[in-house]
Amino acid sequence: MRAVPEFPILPTVRYLLVQAGEDLCVLPLPRVRRIVRNLPVTPLPGTSPELKGLAEFGGEPLPVLDLARLVGAAPGAAPPHPLTVLSWAGAEGAGELVGLAVDAVIEVVELAAEAVVAAGDGIVQGEATLGERPVRVIALSALGGPPAGARAAAGRPG
Amino acid sequence: MATIDRPTTERVDAARVGAGVVLGLALAGLLLLLAANARGGPIWPFGLYLVVAMAGLALYLGLAHRDHRRRTAELADARAERRGIDAALLAVLDELRAGDLVASKARAKDLPPALQDAFTNAADAINGLAQQIQTSSIEVAAAANSVNQIASELASGSSEQAASVVEITAAMEELARTAAQIADNAGSQAELTARAEASGNAGSEAVDEAVQGVEEVKKRISGIATRADTLGTRSKEIYRVLDLITDIAQETHILSLNAAIEAAAAGDHGRRFSVVAEEVRRLAQRSQESVESVRNLLDEFTGSIRATVVATEEGSKEAARVLERARAAASAIDELRSASGDTARVAREISLATQQQNAASDEVVLTLKEVSQVVQRMADSLKQFSSTADQLNELGLAIQLVAQSFHLDSPHSLKREVGRWAGEVRRRLGSWEAIESLLHEVLGDSGYMELAYVIDAGGTQLAIAINPPVAGTDQIPAPLRTGEGLTDRPWYRGVMREGRTIITPVYESLLSGEPCFTVAAPIKEDAGRIVGVLGLDINVDSWTKI
Amino acid sequence: MSGERLLLLRRGGGLWGVAQAAVREVARRGRGYRVRLAGEHDLMADDVVGVVADVPVRPAGVVSRYWGEPAGGLAVHGATPLVVVDPERPPRFLRLPRSDETETSDGDDRPTDD
């Protein structure tokens, strides 16, 4: 009897597939804290368009960023259910919880590491193909402000 | 002069009667004597009576015979005288027969005074009558002329009038034809408008039915719209439910994702939970997909509902517009019916009026025809009148000529004047120039004579003169100029035969071609022998106009 | 950062905080307030909420990166997020020039640019 060949198990990373404008983006699932609907956001005067404003989650201030503007995606139609993906931004273990406003949250997907074509050091880490759809792989580590020390008490880095 | 008068005749008769009485008495005595003798009685009274009767008879006869002889002598004298009177009377009557009142009066001098006076009175009366007749005949001729002129003018006028009446009649007939045509057209128009009226009525009923139908449709559309609204309301409720379900599905989806996130954070311990989370996510997804399907169906349904609502709204609006138009049409039809009614009434009135006009035109035409007939009869009557006037004119001329047949002691008497001129000619016999000069003078003074001429007793023309203004020419025709055949002329022969002035009947003049007559007078020497004839041709028209 | 004592004020629809220690004076200014700080700048506010103590302030983080204004930190009061301003470098739209000393200004005050 022939032995069943062993195929190497390729390492995959789980991502959260979201719709940002007209682009599909994947957020590394370990960095995703929560998906929240209809999060009230208070705009801050004089900010850039990427910063939608401030919100509150779990008693903590939460900056909310527009993912579509962050990645430079063309704006889509107004989402029927605006969602905010609470994610850890910044360096691992030292990031801050930010809200990423997206048009839709689709599903959890797995991507092989080799499937990601690196795109640079910016917030768009690379691009991959999911099914026949191109997706942008977001590097939340590139997002965030100056390191601020301890995380908020409500969450832990993923 | 002894006369046999009526008393003489009566005496003779009385003598006869007397003799008869005496004789009768005698005879009676004789009979008595005989009777007495027969009776045997005394007869001597009766004899005495008889003797006396006989004596008386003898005496009476003797006296009667003597008277008779005397009377017979007187009768013979009277007869002789009468013969003389008769001769004179015949002479007077002869002159009178010839119409020569002048000569007859001269002859009357031979009549006994009483007879002379009586004849003179009669002649004067006849003279006066003849002159009156002459004068009246002149007036009659003039009047006849005027009447003729008037009749001619009237005839001319009536002819023109008749022509005008004919024109008017023709125009009226044309008018009548036009009126008849108008009447026909009006009648047709009346029928058309009546049909239009009927059509209007039918149209109005149809519109009313259409309006009712549209209102019914409108109600049904309204009902449909109400039900569509109800469906739309239900659809909205369903949408709300779908939204709720969608919301729930969305929440479930997020919940599942959050669960997957927590499961991932739990590491290996969360693996089974991540499976559940995934199932929940799929359930949420299916729910969402079902909701989407239902939403799509509901969208289609609501789309249909909206389309139905829109269609019903549009249908309702359209029905309202149709209703409005139908009502406008009904109003217009009502107006049209009213107008048609008015038009029909007017057309009927026009038809009636034109029929009346037609009848009136016919009556007028008939009347004009009657007038035309009357005018024509009047024209005919005027023609007759003119003819009568002509006859009157001729009669007047005839009366004038009859009046002129009398030789009157009047300047109007042609015979008198011609006789006078004949006397003048006699005094100029031997010089034809003098005679001709006299003839020209006579023609120039008259104004109505065409020609004057003198012929001797042998029929030779001694002189002739023409009056161009009356004769119409200054050329004497050859026969007249040469004097051929004059002795055969009736005026010559009449004069030579009668020895007095004569007037010929009217004839056509060789010169003027117009009616004329000749007055011819004998030219006598003192002894009464005719030595020539003076002839004057008188133009009737010129003569009657003087 | 441990809890701080903050003066909370409202301006432009948002809630702002400034360390009470940096506040010298709060005065009415027209329909709003002038908050005189220890530094060079004054702040203008539509409303002054009050002073709250022991407010945990976390670093501004991405807010500083995308706001363009220096921020002292972020905090929450009640359920309302707020930005804690740096009293030495308050945001421009909160600033009130010291030259504008009039207390009776009417109408909406608009942010001035330095």
Side-chain angles (χ1 to χ4, degrees):
Chain A
M1 180 186 295
R2 184 176 294 178
V4 174
E6 293 183 359
F7 292 97
I9 298 174
L10 296 175
T12 60
V13 180
R14 298 179 78 185
Y15 293 90
L16 182 66
L17 180 63
V18 299
Q19 178 89 35
E22 292 188 355
D23 291 353
L24 289 174
C25 301
V26 289
L27 301 171
L29 194 62
R31 282 188 171 254
V32 176
R33 174 68 178 86
R34 185 66 62 87
I35 301 169
V36 178
R37 290 179 67 195
N38 301 323
L39 186 67
V41 177
T42 303
L44 292 176
T47 64
S48 59
E50 292 86 346
L51 181 62
K52 290 194 76 169
L54 282 183
E56 179 271 338
F57 180 76
E60 292 290 329
L62 183 72
V64 178
L65 299 168
D66 190 334
L67 181 59
R69 289 189 184 274
L70 285 175
V71 301
H81 305 287
L83 300 172
T84 308
V85 178
L86 277 56
S87 308
W88 297 105
E92 181 143 354
E96 65 174 307
L97 190 67
V98 299
L100 295 174
V102 296
D103 293 353
V105 178
I106 301 169
E107 59 182 342
V108 175
V109 297
E110 289 190 5
L111 284 176
E114 291 79 7
V116 178
V117 177
D121 296 332
I123 186 169
V124 179
Q125 177 187 357
E127 293 188 359
T129 303
L130 195 61
E132 292 179 356
R133 297 174 295 175
V135 295
R136 292 185 169 188
V137 179
I138 304 301
L140 288 172
S141 59
L143 190 65
R151 292 187 302 236
R156 57 184 173 92
Chain B
M1 185 184 82
T3 59
I4 302 176
D5 54 8
R6 190 163 176 263
T8 304
T9 305
E10 288 178 355
R11 277 200 201 104
V12 171
D13 292 335
R16 287 193 187 123
V17 170
V21 169
V22 173
L23 183 62
L25 286 174
L27 288 174
L30 181 62
L31 288 173
L32 286 175
L33 181 65
L34 292 174
N37 190 32
R39 282 200 307 264
I43 59 173
W44 67 266
F46 296 105
L48 182 66
Y49 174 75
L50 183 60
V51 171
V52 173
M54 293 302 290
L57 180 62
L59 179 65
Y60 180 78
L61 288 175
L63 287 174
H65 178 69
R66 190 183 66 182
D67 188 55
H68 175 70
R69 278 192 305 194
R70 186 172 55 81
R71 299 292 182 193
T72 300
E74 288 177 351
L75 186 63
D77 291 338
R79 281 182 179 163
E81 187 178 352
R82 180 170 175 176
R83 280 196 292 274
I85 290 171
D86 284 347
L89 190 59
L90 282 172
V92 167
L93 290 176
D94 186 56
E95 293 295 338
L96 192 63
R97 177 192 61 77
D100 195 344
L101 293 179
V102 174
S104 66
K105 276 179 77 171
R107 294 279 189 161
K109 290 186 175 73
D110 297 335
L111 292 174
L115 203 59
Q116 181 183 356
D117 291 339
F119 178 80
T120 301
N121 291 337
D124 288 341
I126 293 173
N127 191 27
L129 188 63
Q131 287 188 17
Q132 202 173 356
I133 290 173
Q134 265 191 358
T135 307
S136 299
S137 69
I138 292 170
E139 292 173 2
V140 167
N145 227 14
S146 299
V147 167
N148 208 10
Q149 269 185 354
I150 293 169
S152 295
E153 289 172 4
L154 285 176
S156 172
S158 72
S159 294
E160 291 176 359
Q161 198 173 12
S164 299
V165 169
V166 167
E167 285 181 13
I168 294 171
T169 303
M172 284 305 300
E173 285 177 341
E174 182 63 30
L175 183 64
R177 279 193 291 274
T178 306
Q181 200 170 359
I182 293 172
D184 288 342
N185 289 343
S188 302
Q189 181 64 27
E191 288 177 14
L192 286 173
T193 49
R195 281 204 288 268
E197 199 173 6
S199 297
N201 290 338
S204 181
E205 289 175 4
V207 168
D208 287 340
E209 288 178 10
V211 166
Q212 287 176 6
V214 169
E215 284 177 345
E216 190 63 32
V217 166
K218 200 178 166 194
K219 281 181 194 169
R220 292 198 181 164
I221 289 174
S222 178
I224 293 171
T226 304
R227 286 193 214 100
D229 282 341
T230 306
L231 287 174
T233 305
R234 294 286 183 270
S235 301
K236 285 179 188 170
E237 291 174 3
I238 295 171
Y239 272 118
R240 278 197 292 272
V241 171
L242 288 178
D243 287 340
L244 182 61
I245 296 171
T246 299
D247 205 36
I248 293 171
Q250 184 72 16
E251 282 290 343
T252 307
H253 172 71
I254 293 173
L255 187 61
S256 67
L257 290 174
N258 284 328
I261 292 168
E262 294 299 333
D268 290 337
H269 299 290
R271 204 180 297 275
R272 286 166 63 178
F273 187 67
S274 68
V275 171
V276 172
E278 180 60 18
E279 291 297 324
V280 172
R281 190 195 67 78
R282 290 199 185 114
L283 177 64
Q285 189 176 356
R286 284 202 297 277
S287 298
Q288 185 61 34
E289 288 169 359
S290 298
V291 165
E292 289 303 316
S293 295
V294 171
R295 192 184 295 277
N296 289 337
L297 289 172
L298 193 60
D299 286 344
E300 286 182 18
F301 181 70
T302 51
S304 300
I305 295 293
R306 269 196 297 276
T308 303
V309 169
V310 168
T312 53
E313 283 176 358
E314 287 178 358
S316 183
K317 286 178 191 170
E318 187 62 30
R321 279 197 292 270
V322 168
L323 194 64
E324 191 181 335
R325 283 196 221 113
R327 286 189 180 132
S331 174
I333 287 175
D334 284 340
E335 287 181 11
L336 188 63
R337 281 169 61 196
S338 174
S340 293
D342 290 342
T343 306
R345 180 178 55 78
V346 170
R348 282 193 291 273
E349 288 175 0
I350 291 172
S351 178
L352 184 63
T354 49
Q355 284 174 8
Q356 290 174 352
Q357 186 185 2
N358 208 15
S361 299
D362 289 342
E363 286 185 16
V364 168
V365 168
L366 280 175
T367 304
L368 283 174
K369 284 183 179 170
E370 289 175 4
V371 167
S372 176
Q373 289 172 0
V374 167
V375 168
Q376 191 58 46
R377 283 200 293 273
M378 198 166 70
D380 295 339
S381 298
L382 283 172
K383 282 181 187 169
Q384 285 183 3
F385 184 63
S386 181
S387 172
T388 305
D390 287 338
Q391 291 176 4
L392 188 63
N393 209 11
E394 290 174 3
L395 184 62
L397 176 63
I399 294 173
Q400 274 191 305
L401 291 177
V402 166
Q404 289 297 332
S405 68
F406 290 92
H407 182 186
L408 304 175
D409 189 13
S410 164
H412 295 296
S413 175
L414 284 173
K415 284 187 176 179
R416 174 177 175 269
E417 293 299 302
V418 175
R420 186 169 59 80
W421 292 328
E424 294 293 329
V425 169
R426 187 179 67 81
R427 282 192 280 278
R428 291 167 175 77
L429 283 177
S431 169
W432 65 271
E433 293 93 354
I435 294 172
E436 203 169 273
S437 171
L438 175 63
L439 293 181
H440 280 294
E441 185 181 332
V442 169
L443 290 177
D445 290 341
S446 72
Y448 52 85
M449 297 180 190
E450 293 184 5
L451 198 67
Y453 39 88
V454 175
I455 300 96
D456 66 10
T460 304
Q461 186 166 282
L462 299 178
I464 187 166
I466 188 169
N467 190 3
V470 178
T473 178
D474 57 358
Q475 299 297 319
I476 301 175
L480 292 176
R481 191 173 54 250
T482 58
E484 293 176 4
L486 292 176
T487 55
D488 294 331
R489 300 295 169 79
W491 47 268
Y492 178 83
R493 292 165 68 179
V495 168
M496 295 305 288
R497 182 178 62 249
E498 299 284 331
R500 55 179 87 245
T501 306
I502 66 153
I503 296 178
T504 69
V506 175
Y507 61 91
E508 187 176 311
S509 166
L510 283 177
L511 293 176
S512 64
E514 294 175 358
C516 75
F517 61 93
T518 303
V519 182
I523 304 170
K524 294 180 179 178
E525 58 185 13
D526 293 338
R529 190 171 67 91
I530 298 174
V531 295
V533 176
L534 169 63
L536 298 170
D537 291 349
I538 295 177
N539 184 281
V540 171
D541 192 43
S542 301
W543 180 57
T544 56
K545 284 180 183 168
I546 59 173
Chain C
M1 188 180 287
S2 61
E4 292 186 17
R5 195 175 183 84
L6 300 174
L7 173 68
L8 298 183
L9 51 91
R10 294 190 193 278
R11 174 69 178 168
L15 189 62
W16 307 88
V18 63
Q20 191 206 5
V23 176
R24 287 293 171 268
E25 184 187 32
V26 177
R28 291 284 297 182
R29 180 181 179 276
R31 283 182 291 183
Y33 294 88
R34 175 192 287 273
V35 178
R36 190 178 291 273
L37 299 178
E40 297 176 355
H41 303 284
D42 291 346
L43 303 180
M44 59 182 166
D46 298 332
D47 189 18
V48 174
V49 178
V51 175
V52 292
D54 200 22
V55 177
V57 177
R58 50 162 280 191
V62 298
V63 171
S64 296
R65 181 176 175 177
Y66 291 102
W67 188 15
E69 295 279 356
L74 303 176
V76 170
H77 171 65
T80 307
L82 61 97
V83 175
V84 179
V85 302
D86 182 351
E88 297 298 326
R89 296 179 298 167
R92 280 168 288 182
F93 74 92
L94 282 179
R95 293 180 195 176
L96 187 64
R98 283 277 167 86
S99 62
D100 187 1
E101 294 290 341
T102 59
E103 299 294 341
T104 59
S105 172
D106 291 326
D108 290 332
D109 291 323
R110 298 200 177 178
T112 59
D113 294 333
D114 273 348

